[in-house]
Amino acid sequence: MSGILFDNDSWRLYRRHKGLLVLVLPGVLFFLLFNYLPMLGLVIAFKDFRLVDGVMGSAWSGLDNFRRLFGGADFPLALRNTVTISLLRLCFGFFAPIALALMLNEVRLSWYKRTIQTVTYIPYFLSWVILGGIFLIMFAQNGPVNQMAMMVGIEPIEFLTNDFWFIVVIIATGIWQAAGYGAVIYLAALSGISPDLYEAAVVDGAGRWKQTWHITIPGLIPTIVTLFILNLGHVLNAGFDQIYNMYNPMVFDAADIIDTYVLRRIVLMDFGLATGAGLFKSVVGLMMVVLANSLARRVSGGEQGIW
Amino acid sequence: MIQRTRGERIFNVFNVTVLGVVALMALYPFVYTISMSLSSAAEAMRSGLHLYPRDISLTSFEMVLANPDIVSGFANSVLRTVSGTALTLFFTCLTAYPLARKELPYRGPLLFLILFTMIFSGGIVPNYLLIKNIGLIDSIWALILPHMLTAFNVIVMKNFFQSIPESLAESAKIDGASEINILARIYVPLSKPVLATVGLWTAVSHWNQWFDAMLYITSDENQVLQTFLQRIVIESSVEMIEQGLVDPNVTQFTPETIKAATVVVTVLPMLLIYPFVQKYFVKGIMLGGVKE
């Protein structure tokens, strides 16, 4: 070991770059302590973990935790809910920022465009504790949404306690929160389209519709495809912050996701099961992201992707 | 010069109108909340849109600000935000600078070590045990230290540093400057835009963080504002009286106005700085967007 790391050539290399190495050392130690050491803690998933015995002292239990996880009713339900909510978000939410960006792109008054943009991405700036607090008031039985519904003659809806309506609220408020943020990314892609293309199109007599259809949308396709694939990669993240701050026991059947399940297991001090569920999510998530990334790279000819 | 057909004019009116409605929908929840927070109990119970309070009352704010938890929570949130952001900026510069220099030994493996943390992590339980084992439970350091360095910030900063011509560093080195001096005197002054962006995003995420405080902070005196807001939001009027949040003998109240006022107190610092920092906010979205 020392022969490889400390032969004369390397030693000279270290000495020469001592200044840089000293600077990078605290950061590397930080990542080892706060990111890599906890990864070793994942062995808890294969142990009958007891707090008093510690990670090392607890007895091994093989795949017992995973058998309990998939043998019970709660985790399979949470897994199904997670995937369902993610896919619903993708179906209904994915095109909202694209539509918003295309519409903003057609606005000629720059102050108006700027104002709309500023206003629509405010929600992304705030935590789901705050936004959840606001929506729990707004969608309450006697809240303003139901009052508006009553004004047009609709019976009050149990938005927060009915499984179906709660998911509708989750999806809708999720779009409300993230559409403005998403639009900024697409607007950046739009600003990269060469103005020459539009000028040429005008010379050829193309109207606004034709310009949008033949220049703007094709210009967005690489970004759309990449973001779509990357979203698929995050299918096991159904939005913990939002759901935890808005759900209640009455809608667990539809809204309990992997992350909320893990948290409740921790509260019950069932660390083995919680870690097992977390490990399952991390490993499947890692595979999904790697897969999605290589797909994104292939589709865009190596240009897009996270790495 | 610009010729508009009738169809295009109709489309423009339609487009501008729809966007206006979208913006109103984005704003309405905030307008409603602010209006409720300023309403008297009787006004809050009135049905309607509550675009503005017809009967203004500051009672809810008086009750919220008289709550010692909210005051100490606010102070703790400010403390974690300010010190957390300062430490993040310092250590992110320190770590990103050597990684931006191609001659750093083992640069590739070190970058991979950092990047890998973006796609895989130990998860809640191992992280909790780490914080417990190093004795940080119920300490504000539990909220600051784990966020000090993130792979994302380091990579963003490193990429920016790489855009600074290496010849600057080399000529300083010939003049005998140490690496830390080159970083502090040449790189940091040239990196104000990226420092502002990373600093803003770190500050916002510290202010908004609630999950780590919920896990690691056990005493009310060390708790942050978001956690108190979370508790108040789910409380009923009976619980509010039991908790001593409100004194039913002194004032008429509805839980909604108390909740709304707590939301406003939590949001206000963000909304006040928002107009000044939104330029950097957009920049941060660009950096974080696809490469997240």
Side-chain angles (χ1 to χ4, degrees):
Chain A
M1 187 71 186
S2 65
I4 303 165
L5 279 174
F6 292 110
D7 61 26
N8 277 341
D9 280 355
S10 327
W11 189 238
R12 223 170 293 142
L13 192 70
Y14 288 131
R15 286 257 308 261
R16 186 144 52 93
H17 298 299
K18 204 178 77 187
L20 290 177
L21 285 166
V22 167
L23 292 187
V24 85
L25 190 66
V28 172
L29 289 178
F30 174 92
F31 281 105
L32 289 178
L33 175 64
F34 282 101
N35 295 89
Y36 284 90
L37 194 61
M39 287 184 205
L40 296 180
L42 283 169
V43 295
I44 296 170
F46 305 98
K47 287 194 163 197
D48 180 17
F49 181 73
R50 300 196 318 170
L51 212 49
V52 281
D53 297 331
V55 178
M56 292 303 149
S58 294
W60 292 97
S61 68
L63 293 175
D64 263 9
N65 286 323
F66 292 95
R67 256 177 238 126
R68 278 167 66 212
L69 210 51
F70 287 96
D74 290 355
F75 183 75
L77 178 68
L79 179 60
R80 205 166 57 232
N81 287 340
T82 305
V83 175
T84 308
I85 293 173
S86 284
L87 292 181
L88 285 172
R89 281 190 205 280
L90 212 53
C91 279
F92 294 101
F94 185 75
F95 292 98
I98 301 173
L100 185 58
L102 286 175
M103 289 177 79
L104 281 167
N105 194 45
E106 296 300 322
V107 175
R108 294 289 171 262
L109 299 163
S110 68
W111 67 266
Y112 191 75
K113 182 176 167 180
R114 219 171 33 242
T115 310
I116 303 283
Q117 246 188 295
T118 306
V119 165
T120 49
Y121 61 57
I122 287 176
Y124 197 77
F125 206 54
L126 306 171
S127 75
W128 272 108
V129 177
I130 293 168
L131 301 179
I134 292 176
F135 286 126
L136 288 186
I137 302 175
M138 297 209 57
F139 286 100
Q141 192 75 18
N142 56 354
V145 177
N146 266 329
Q147 286 183 8
M148 278 185 253
M150 261 151 57
M151 275 183 237
V152 292
I154 301 171
E155 287 288 298
I157 295 165
E158 292 176 327
F159 284 113
L160 301 174
T161 48
N162 174 289
D163 282 353
F164 171 78
W165 284 108
F166 183 75
I167 298 301
V168 171
V169 167
I170 287 289
I171 305 295
T173 56
I175 295 172
W176 174 88
Q177 187 241 7
Y181 154 82
V184 175
I185 298 170
Y186 289 107
L187 282 170
L190 285 177
S191 67
I193 299 174
S194 161
D196 297 353
L197 290 174
Y198 291 105
E199 278 164 29
V202 170
V203 172
D204 290 347
R208 289 259 289 273
W209 275 117
K210 286 208 158 153
Q211 291 176 34
T212 305
W213 192 245
H214 293 289
I215 301 172
T216 313
I217 292 182
L220 280 184
I221 292 288
T223 313
I224 294 176
V225 170
T226 310
L227 286 182
F228 187 81
I229 294 171
L230 292 183
N231 274 338
L232 270 183
H234 288 290
V235 76
L236 290 189
N237 291 321
F240 168 74
D241 282 27
Q242 180 190 16
I243 290 175
Y244 182 79
N245 282 299
M246 288 174 74
Y247 82 158
N248 60 72
M250 293 177 78
V251 288
F252 275 2
D253 278 349
D256 194 22
I257 55 173
I258 296 177
D259 297 310
T260 52
Y261 170 83
V262 168
L263 190 63
R264 282 209 316 281
R265 283 290 124 185
I266 291 175
V267 173
L268 295 172
M269 305 285 270
D270 196 345
F271 293 113
L273 215 54
T275 313
L279 179 61
F280 172 80
K281 194 194 145 198
S282 295
V283 170
V284 175
L286 176 66
M287 292 192 306
M288 297 286 291
V289 171
V290 169
L291 197 75
N293 195 57
S294 63
L295 248 170
R297 287 181 70 96
R298 190 163 315 163
V299 169
S300 65
E303 296 225 333
Q304 305 275 3
I306 344 176
W307 62 84
Chain B
M1 175 68 205
I2 305 167
Q3 290 178 350
R4 292 207 172 98
T5 64
R6 205 173 136 211
E8 281 183 17
R9 250 175 295 153
I10 294 171
F11 170 78
N12 275 338
V13 172
F14 170 80
N15 191 33
V16 165
T17 315
V18 171
L19 283 173
V21 172
V22 167
L24 288 180
M25 280 169 64
L27 271 184
Y28 178 64
F30 301 111
V31 172
Y32 177 84
T33 308
I34 293 169
S35 166
M36 282 298 263
S37 72
L38 289 167
S39 295
S40 66
E43 161 73 7
M45 290 207 275
R46 180 178 65 84
S47 67
L49 286 179
H50 291 274
L51 287 174
Y52 63 93
R54 282 188 219 161
D55 179 16
I56 291 188
S57 154
L58 293 175
T59 321
S60 307
F61 282 102
E62 281 163 19
M63 282 193 269
V64 167
L65 294 177
N67 181 348
D69 285 346
I70 298 286
V71 178
S72 73
F74 196 95
N76 288 332
S77 286
V78 171
L79 182 64
R80 83 170 280 186
T81 302
V82 173
S83 47
T85 306
L87 281 171
T88 293
L89 285 177
F90 180 78
F91 280 100
T92 304
C93 284
L94 215 58
T95 311
Y97 170 71
L99 292 167
R101 301 284 300 275
K102 301 225 162 38
E103 68 265 33
L104 177 76
Y106 297 111
R107 181 169 174 264
L110 288 177
L111 278 173
F112 179 80
L113 181 101
I114 293 172
L115 267 174
F116 185 70
T117 64
M118 283 175 95
I119 51 171
F120 195 79
S121 76
I124 307 176
V125 177
N127 277 320
Y128 176 83
L129 293 175
L130 173 69
I131 296 294
K132 192 171 145 56
N133 286 333
I134 55 180
L136 292 184
I137 292 294
D138 203 30
S139 157
I140 191 152
W141 289 106
L143 311 182
I144 295 173
L145 281 181
H147 296 286
M148 213 166 67
L149 281 179
T150 67
F152 182 72
N153 286 342
V154 170
I155 299 303
V156 165
M157 194 82 86
K158 179 209 78 132
N159 289 345
F160 192 90
F161 283 165
Q162 273 174 350
S163 69
I164 295 172
E166 269 184 53
S167 55
L168 284 175
E170 272 154 27
S171 59
K173 229 174 166 178
I174 293 167
D175 292 341
S178 65
E179 295 291 353
I180 186 98
N181 263 325
I182 298 173
L183 169 61
R185 303 260 164 84
I186 298 175
Y187 277 71
V188 168
L190 287 173
S191 307
K192 279 179 196 140
V194 76
L195 287 172
T197 306
V198 169
L200 166 75
W201 277 87
T202 308
V204 169
S205 90
H206 263 297
W207 186 264
N208 283 339
Q209 258 295 333
W210 53 277
F211 188 63
D212 55 357
M214 188 177 91
L215 284 182
Y216 303 145
I217 302 297
T218 49
S219 74
D220 278 358
E221 60 184 312
N222 291 328
Q223 197 47 276
V224 298
L225 187 56
Q226 302 272 343
T227 309
F228 289 118
L229 170 62
Q230 207 173 24
R231 281 188 210 163
I232 289 172
V233 160
I234 55 171
E235 266 169 6
S236 65
S237 49
V238 180
E239 286 164 328
M240 283 185 180
I241 294 168
E242 280 171 0
Q243 302 267 323
L245 275 178
V246 289
D247 182 352
N249 301 319
V250 180
T251 37
Q252 260 206 316
F253 81 104
T254 64
E256 276 70 29
T257 62
I258 307 277
K259 291 174 187 180
T262 317
V263 168
V264 172
V265 168
T266 315
V267 168
L268 213 57
M270 291 278 100
L271 288 191
L272 286 181
I273 61 160
Y274 182 66
F276 303 101
V277 297
Q278 57 141 311
K279 172 173 79 162
Y280 295 111
F281 185 70
V282 173
K283 227 177 250 170
I285 295 179
M286 309 296 207
L287 290 171
V290 178
K291 304 269 168 193
E292 195 160 59

